[in-house]
Amino acid sequence: MKIAKVQIEWFISRKEIPAVSKKKYNDWIYNPIIVFDNQYNVPIWDNNVSTVPLWTCVVHNKSIKGHISIAEIKYLSESAPQELMQMNAGFELYEGKSKVAKGIILELIE
């Protein structure tokens, strides 16, 4: 399963940004939905219902400065579309249909 180093810009309040964690990968607890740029060419939401298959990722913030964090991400499921995790790929993070952040892959770790 791929793990990527990313830069994330958070749209939520500073106190809602998941804290920097010292936990190991299997202990990650922040699990938003991830949608990569150009992954779908149709709207992904119809009110509160997704119109496309959605995948959950796990986020491990390594450092946070203001509303920008450097983090590691990976998909929660091994059957997720790993091929979307590529260098310089942009993505958005959602909690339900609410967009909470956008980011870019800086480096592939595994």
Side-chain angles (χ1 to χ4, degrees):
M1 187 173 326
K2 290 185 180 181
I3 297 174
K5 179 179 177 182
V6 299
Q7 178 178 303
I8 300 172
E9 178 184 356
W10 298 93
F11 304 140
I12 54 182
S13 74
R14 178 69 171 93
K15 65 182 178 182
E16 294 174 309
I17 296 173
V20 171
S21 174
K22 305 285 188 227
K23 296 179 179 183
K24 297 187 184 303
Y25 295 127
N26 59 354
D27 294 328
W28 291 357
I29 56 173
Y30 184 65
N31 305 113
I33 294 167
I34 187 168
V35 177
F36 282 90
D37 294 352
N38 303 314
Q39 183 175 356
Y40 299 112
N41 59 2
V42 297
I44 60 173
W45 299 104
D46 181 10
N47 292 318
N48 287 330
V49 179
S50 68
T51 60
V52 294
L54 296 175
W55 298 94
T56 301
C57 73
V58 287
V59 176
H60 182 220
N61 279 324
K62 298 291 200 170
S63 65
I64 302 172
K65 189 170 193 172
H67 279 85
I68 305 292
S69 71
I70 301 298
E72 291 178 359
I73 65 168
K74 66 179 182 176
Y75 279 113
L76 187 61
S77 170
E78 291 197 22
S79 61
Q82 303 289 326
E83 68 277 3
L84 296 174
M85 292 184 67
Q86 299 178 13
M87 286 290 299
N88 301 314
F91 60 87
E92 296 174 334
L93 299 178
Y94 291 85
E95 289 183 10
K97 73 172 190 171
S98 298
K99 186 183 341 178
V100 296
K102 70 176 182 177
I104 190 166
I105 294 181
L106 303 173
E107 175 184 352
L108 294 174
I109 299 171
E110 291 182 15

